[in-house]
Amino acid sequence: MIASRRLVLAHLWTAFIAFAAACVLGAWQMWVRSPLRPPLATPENYFLSVTAHGSAMAYVLTTFFIMGFGYYVAETALGRPLPRPRIAWAAFWIAMLGTLLALGTVLSGRATVLYTFYPPMTGSAVYYVGLVLVVVGSWVWVGLMVEAMRRWKKAEPGRPVPLAMFATVANAIMWAWTTVGVAAELLFQVIPAALGLVQSVDVGLSRTLFSWTLHAIVYFWLFPAYIAFYTMAPAAAGGRLYSDTMGRLTFVLFLLYSLPVGMHHLFMDPEHSTGFKFLQMVLTAFVAVPTLLTVFTITASMEIAGRLAGGRGLFGWIGALPWHRPMVLATGLSFVMLFFGGGGGLVNMAYGMNAMVHNTSWVTAHFHLIFGGTVVIMYFAIAYAIWPSLTGREAGSFTRQRLQLWLWFIGMMVTTLPWHWLGLLGQWRRVALFDYTNPTIAPWAPWVIVSFVGGLILLVSALLFVANLAGRHVPALRALPPRYAQSHHEASHVPTALNGFGFWNAAVAVLMLAAYGWPIAQFFVEPSPGAIVHRVDR
Amino acid sequence: MNAPAGSSRFTVLAGSAIGAILLGGMLFGFALLPIIQGRQAGIDAWTAFCRSLGIGPGTPAASSPADTAAPRPVSDVAWTGATLAALAGAAPAAPPEAAQQCASCHGEKGIAIDPAFPNLAGQSAAAIFKQLHDYRSGARAHDVMTPMAQGLAEEDLAPLAVHFASQPKGSLDVTARADRNLPVADLVFRGDPARGIPACQACHGARSGGPIETPTLSRQNEAYLADQLRRYASGERGNDIYGRMRGFAAKLTEDEIKRLAAFYAWTE
């Protein structure tokens, strides 16, 4: 078992408890939107629930999972104890305090502003301060990840940083960049408004600052899935990683092209010019490159494994893969969801097509399929893979794990494919109740009911996941961490630029200056009248 | 660490690729596309370039004809920072002098002497300010209130509003409480989407989701509430921005108006 297991387990359990509770809310929300009115279905309760669901999923599940997994990778991939474990614990408690403050405020009905804030709507300051504390905890984690890598490089001069750790640090650095936007929005605009220090908010600026964060935060959530694709799935399949360099390129491309692209969330907004929207659309298109590199590399790695297992012919290797192993199964299911979710994403990022799906259920469908599907199913697989080395216990068989993964996949498809269709029919997102007697809206009813059934399947899967983690009582035969995949061509030498982040940080700075420099400066050069603060906590 | 062979070449290559993508995007976004598309809209190249950067006005390409009709706002209230700050301030230690005139109908402590008049105690300061302002400007008319408000100076309004807002609401006589029958509770909490009526609570709830001037309704006088709903429905009262209340009230039945008034009058 690993030394920092209590630290890692504390993070992961926090993440998964928040996740399971948020799944209950999610299923209820779909019930509210359907023609089958559930109890307590008032708009006030609906938006309270959406705020709690979003905050728990987007800020608590992800941040705690990524921090915990990062500590795990730092110890196991580098083969060294974690630097400064006490500070790591302090960061955990700061983030935990923040979580309790934020969720407590939402549940008391004093911060029903949805998890992306939407100023000038303003809830209780306690909610925002709580979220800032979660971010502060994660900043400490960023420092610890960078320090762990720096110490390792000092001790092992000339050797390439193991890919899993290189990716974790890429994510940590990206996260530091990412949080600047939302932190500036909260600290200089939203929290002063919530405290009553200012009476109006420049919403153009706040939307711009949030867009800085909004795409990159999703890649922050996505990194662990990609780390599992590159460093865990090939080994679980019994093969090798096709290319270590491809992995490094992928991770630095995520660092580069997740940040100067957030304006694709503002295509329909009036506060920016078409030129900057176009530029950021072009840069967004390059986010597809690391994803395509990954699909190619992981498929090639799986082919190596399938052929080593005796698979023959053009496609015979697919059947020869060990699909009974949760990590392999999850990777396959994740790729299917990535195909649909990524395709939808290409529509969203196209300046022209975006207008057709703007503010519809299509968008909700896209991010549930990519994040809730592609990414979270890999969180499950990672948890299953590392749990024995954390608890010293393992599952007697993989059957319940596979059942849980299949249920999640089926539930997510049944929930989100109808949402895509409903979005094309024009169904709005962020609306609590629909008038199904209206002849325009009536045909939506069956599809909404289908997606509610999908939500119930997801809920069953989420509860089964927690039960699978809690109920492993067979002592593990070998409580060793899972082996990280070896590269097909051993990475003995990599270009300096792919073994550190100095060059990439400079490149991000240049891209951010070009993409966001004037769009943010314009609010100070030519200030616009602010929007009146609209309190929802009184 | 010694850089492996080819390291600096990789860095130069990567830097060039990143730079080329950036410059290509800028060339198309700031120059080629706006200039070519601008030509079709009759815009010269320099204007098109400036617009694409967000310097100077952007869309629409062709200016639309200006509306020459004189605007007829339903209310002259402008929520400026100064007004909001005055309304957010603490209540004056002694009641403003003008409050004495109000007391003859609305009570010294803001509890009306006749249920036909509204209680002011515990009402939102912004709501009181808006109604006084509207009586003053003529946006809302009443035989008694119009001359009263017109006798006040604009700077008198905020202190009066804050004074009455800070008074405690009247206590509820629970024994006189009307039945909370279910159909009206449904209207209050869920609205009736089939008739285009949103939940009353969406704006008038305990934690307001409505515009800043939305009044609190709980423990308001039943007769006054019903009367105002009828006035909105008939269009006699019309100082609601965008005609929201006129629209909703016109869709209510007389029975619903009575029940809604009773609901809020007897609700915390």
Side-chain angles (χ1 to χ4, degrees):
Chain A
M1 283 194 284
I2 70 161
S4 44
R5 64 182 181 278
R6 286 168 60 87
L7 178 71
V8 176
L9 275 173
H11 281 84
L12 298 192
W13 269 122
T14 308
F16 295 144
I17 289 168
F19 161 76
C23 282
V24 177
L25 296 177
W28 179 79
Q29 286 156 214
M30 279 318 297
W31 193 0
V32 175
R33 281 171 69 100
S34 77
L36 324 159
R37 293 281 185 85
L40 303 172
T42 65
E44 271 190 348
N45 287 342
Y46 176 79
F47 289 113
L48 187 152
S49 176
V50 174
T51 309
H53 173 87
S55 301
M57 290 296 198
Y59 300 133
V60 183
L61 163 67
T62 51
T63 311
F64 279 89
F65 180 84
I66 291 165
M67 287 167 72
F69 184 49
Y71 294 133
Y72 183 89
V73 169
E75 183 179 329
T76 54
L78 299 183
R80 297 163 60 91
L82 197 68
R84 305 178 199 276
R86 278 194 187 164
I87 292 185
W89 272 110
F92 170 78
W93 286 112
I94 291 172
M96 175 60 93
L97 174 68
T99 300
L100 296 176
L101 288 177
L103 292 183
T105 313
V106 172
L107 295 178
S108 70
R110 305 185 69 83
T112 305
V113 292
L114 305 192
Y115 80 101
T116 43
F117 311 142
Y118 298 109
M121 275 207 293
T122 305
S124 162
V126 180
Y127 172 63
Y128 308 111
V129 170
L131 293 181
V132 168
L133 289 179
V134 174
V135 171
V136 168
S138 73
W139 281 341
V140 175
W141 171 83
V142 169
L144 291 172
M145 290 299 101
V146 172
E147 180 167 356
M149 186 181 85
R150 203 179 49 80
R151 285 189 186 186
W152 186 90
K153 280 171 91 167
K154 207 168 169 187
E156 311 261 353
R159 283 189 56 203
V161 179
L163 183 59
M165 190 60 192
F166 181 82
T168 300
V169 177
N171 199 19
I173 289 173
M174 189 191 75
W175 181 237
W177 276 100
T178 304
T179 45
V180 172
V182 69
E185 183 200 0
L186 287 178
L187 295 177
F188 298 117
Q189 294 195 283
V190 175
I191 292 178
L195 292 175
L197 302 177
V198 294
Q199 309 293 338
S200 65
V201 176
D202 186 338
V203 290
L205 177 60
S206 64
R207 289 180 67 78
T208 308
L209 289 173
F210 199 77
S211 84
W212 166 320
T213 298
L214 200 45
H215 194 73
I217 196 174
V218 183
Y219 279 86
F220 173 63
W221 306 339
L222 185 125
F223 256 79
Y226 275 60
I227 293 172
F229 288 158
Y230 277 96
T231 68
M232 300 173 117
R240 283 175 170 237
L241 174 62
Y242 175 69
S243 166
D244 177 275
T245 309
M246 212 70 114
R248 285 169 200 271
L249 263 180
T250 296
F251 292 120
V252 296
L253 283 171
F254 274 143
L255 170 59
L256 277 188
Y257 289 116
S258 60
L259 281 153
V261 302
M263 221 183 264
H264 64 229
H265 291 263
L266 304 179
F267 281 153
M268 296 300 118
D269 273 38
E271 70 270 19
H272 293 298
S273 69
T274 53
F276 281 98
K277 288 174 179 170
F278 182 87
L279 174 63
Q280 295 214 13
M281 179 192 77
V282 170
L283 297 176
T284 305
F286 280 87
V287 166
V289 174
T291 298
L292 293 175
L293 283 182
T294 302
V295 170
F296 172 79
T297 309
I298 301 309
T299 307
S301 307
M302 289 296 176
E303 185 176 348
I304 294 173
R307 293 199 187 281
L308 284 174
R312 295 278 173 273
L314 204 52
F315 296 111
W317 58 270
I318 297 175
L321 285 169
W323 293 109
H324 62 279
R325 295 187 185 157
M327 178 62 76
V328 178
L329 175 64
T331 301
L333 298 177
S334 181
F335 270 35
V336 175
M337 291 189 278
L338 180 63
F339 174 79
F340 287 103
L346 292 175
V347 172
N348 299 344
M349 63 136 264
Y351 194 171
M353 282 193 281
N354 182 282
M356 297 189 299
V357 297
H358 177 71
N359 252 348
T360 68
S361 295
W362 172 283
V363 180
T364 327
H366 164 73
F367 69 75
H368 276 79
L369 195 47
I370 282 285
F371 171 60
T374 310
V375 172
V376 168
I377 204 169
M378 295 310 292
Y379 287 11
F380 299 151
I382 289 170
Y384 288 143
I386 70 177
W387 221 248
S389 64
L390 294 172
T391 63
R393 297 194 302 270
E394 66 184 352
S397 85
F398 291 146
T399 313
R400 294 210 311 178
Q401 297 184 4
R402 286 198 305 267
L403 174 66
Q404 187 266 325
L405 294 171
W406 272 110
L407 282 176
W408 191 259
F409 169 74
I410 293 167
M412 194 52 78
M413 296 296 263
V414 171
T415 304
T416 60
L417 293 186
W419 284 359
H420 279 99
W421 178 239
L422 286 163
L424 293 180
L425 293 179
Q427 189 195 39
W428 313 272
R429 58 187 294 214
R430 306 190 197 100
V431 167
L433 305 173
F434 294 96
D435 170 19
Y436 287 101
T437 60
N438 181 318
T440 313
I441 293 177
W444 302 350
W447 295 109
V448 180
I449 294 172
V450 168
S451 61
F452 169 47
V453 172
L456 290 177
I457 299 173
L458 288 172
L459 177 58
V460 171
S461 173
L463 298 178
L464 183 56
F465 171 67
V466 173
N468 282 349
L469 292 187
R472 300 161 156 237
H473 293 301
V474 187
L477 291 175
R478 294 184 323 125
L480 295 175
R483 205 163 47 82
Y484 290 104
Q486 283 185 303
S487 174
H488 188 55
H489 299 285
E490 199 53 56
S492 52
H493 296 304
V494 294
T496 319
L498 289 180
N499 203 36
F501 295 96
F503 171 72
W504 306 108
N505 274 326
V508 172
V510 171
L511 290 174
M512 284 304 275
L513 190 67
Y516 269 108
W518 172 247
I520 290 178
Q522 64 168 346
F523 293 105
F524 298 93
V525 175
E526 208 175 340
S528 57
I532 300 171
V533 170
H534 185 95
R535 301 211 68 105
V536 299
D537 61 340
R538 293 193 178 142
Chain B
M1 141 179 177
N2 295 325
S7 261
S8 56
R9 212 181 61 167
F10 175 84
T11 310
V12 171
L13 209 69
S16 313
I18 295 166
I21 290 166
L22 178 63
L23 291 178
M26 291 169 102
L27 180 70
F28 273 85
F30 295 135
L32 292 182
L33 288 174
I35 289 171
I36 293 168
Q37 293 179 345
R39 196 179 295 161
Q40 293 158 9
I43 298 170
D44 66 87
W46 177 246
T47 309
F49 174 67
C50 289
R51 282 181 171 201
S52 75
L53 286 170
I55 302 169
T59 51
S63 58
S64 48
D67 188 347
T68 52
R72 286 171 49 203
V74 296
S75 172
D76 290 340
V77 174
W79 297 109
T80 63
T83 305
L84 293 171
L87 292 173
E97 212 173 300
Q100 290 172 10
Q101 299 170 46
C102 313
S104 53
C105 291
H106 295 285
E108 200 178 327
K109 300 265 178 203
I111 307 294
I113 53 161
D114 181 326
F117 307 139
N119 295 328
L120 300 182
Q123 183 54 272
S124 113
I128 301 177
F129 177 88
K130 159 118 183 348
Q131 298 310 320
L132 279 174
H133 199 287
D134 283 353
Y135 280 128
R136 224 173 144 263
S137 70
R140 186 178 174 186
H142 187 269
D143 294 343
V144 180
M145 280 310 297
T146 302
M148 283 277 186
Q150 283 173 348
L152 294 169
E154 173 137 9
E155 55 270 23
D156 293 339
L157 306 186
L160 270 179
V162 174
H163 166 70
F164 282 109
S166 64
Q167 305 296 320
K169 285 192 179 185
S171 55
L172 266 189
D173 179 3
V174 205
T175 53
R177 186 176 198 156
D179 283 343
R180 289 182 98 199
N181 71 40
L182 281 175
V184 81
D186 214 38
L187 209 52
V188 166
F189 292 105
R190 292 180 173 185
D192 186 350
R195 285 189 288 160
I197 304 174
C200 307
Q201 290 291 97
C203 290
H204 294 284
R207 301 212 165 81
S208 163
I212 184 168
E213 68 270 20
T214 310
T216 155
L217 300 183
S218 71
R219 298 193 230 168
Q220 189 51 280
N221 287 323
E222 189 175 338
Y224 173 76
L225 286 177
D227 185 44
Q228 294 308 308
L229 281 173
R230 291 186 198 109
R231 285 171 194 259
Y232 274 131
S234 70
E236 187 185 337
R237 179 175 172 185
N239 66 330
D240 52 332
I241 308 277
Y242 305 133
R244 293 185 191 99
M245 282 307 300
R246 277 170 282 175
F248 309 146
K251 293 171 187 161
L252 296 171
T253 63
E254 176 59 24
D255 185 50
E256 283 170 331
I257 286 178
K258 284 182 183 157
R259 287 171 195 266
L260 283 172
F263 178 89
Y264 275 106
W266 300 103
T267 286
E268 288 295 332

